[in-house]
Amino acid sequence: NGRQRTAKRQSKDSLLQDGDSKMSHLLPDLPYEFNALEPFFDEQTMQIHHGKHHAAYVDKLNTALDGHAAWAGRDIEDLIVNVNDVPEVIRTAVRNNGGGHYNHTLFWQVLAPADNGGGGTPSAALAEAIDRDFGGFDTFQATFSQAAVTRFGSGWAWLTVKSDGRLSVSSSPNQDNPLMKGFAGDPGKPILGLDVWEHAYYLKYQNRRPDYIEAFWNIVNWDFVAQRYEAATKVAHALT
Ligand code: MN
């Protein structure tokens, strides 16, 4: 089948021990086949994006953390939330590659095949929150697409749950993430992310980023995003 055989398995964001008992971050399998998102995201892009780009972030993160025992044992969310406290000598590497690992691990999960759960609109609590905070799904979608189109250079568009439980759309450069202190937009817990690096779309869409973004809406896994929303709002509620 189309799966990458060499990818080690990883459950959620947790750390697993490899054979020599050294803690390391692992490349998660995709939750679907490489060709499952066709015709919106093509098989070759998915293979390269996961097997080369995401894998490289994981490898470089592990390399950066080697010899930094206090940080090597932390899970990926803990690492990026506290990235400004990481030793300066590895801080940029952890920001870029730890961010890359977190962001891509989320990205694969917010996608689903169009004939198996992808696309449409969210239901229940998330739909109500989108109506409350954006005035409707169409306005939210246009706002998010605009953030993705206008992000200059490489980066991400985000739907985030802020600490007060409200939703916010923003974008970030490079592999930055709304969980990082100093994030330029509204900080919070990202529940939906869209990769707008050229490596995510160039093979199929060349320079036509807006076409890639339009295709993305056909394969959003709203059930997963809604689960993340509900988990994040429970945390936000507990903090208030
Ligand atoms: Mn990417």
Side-chain angles (χ1 to χ4, degrees), residues 77-191:
E77 184 165 325
D78 189 16
L79 264 182
I80 68 166
V81 165
N82 294 292
V83 69
N84 290 344
D85 298 324
V86 169
E88 191 171 2
V89 65
I90 60 168
R91 193 177 303 153
T92 299
V94 170
R95 186 181 194 97
N96 290 338
N97 297 295
H101 178 34
Y102 183 98
N103 295 345
H104 287 84
T105 299
L106 174 62
F107 188 45
W108 310 136
Q109 295 177 88
V110 303
L111 303 173
D115 61 359
N116 189 18
T121 57
S123 57
L126 178 56
E128 290 173 21
I130 286 173
D131 288 346
R132 178 194 67 203
D133 295 337
F134 299 102
F137 183 80
D138 291 348
T139 306
F140 153 73
Q141 193 176 34
T143 303
F144 187 99
S145 291
Q146 182 71 3
V149 167
T150 57
R151 164 49 52 188
F152 182 76
S154 298
W156 291 75
W158 301 106
L159 176 62
T160 297
V161 179
K162 299 187 290 183
S163 60
D164 63 2
R166 297 182 84 84
L167 295 168
S168 171
V169 163
S170 59
S171 72
S172 67
N174 305 315
Q175 296 295 349
D176 283 2
N177 178 291
L179 287 165
M180 293 175 174
K181 289 189 186 76
F183 177 71
D186 283 328
K189 180 87 166 186
I191 61 172

Side-chain angles (χ1 to χ4, degrees), residues 49 104 195 199:
H49 201 173
H104 287 84
D195 188 344
H199 70 223

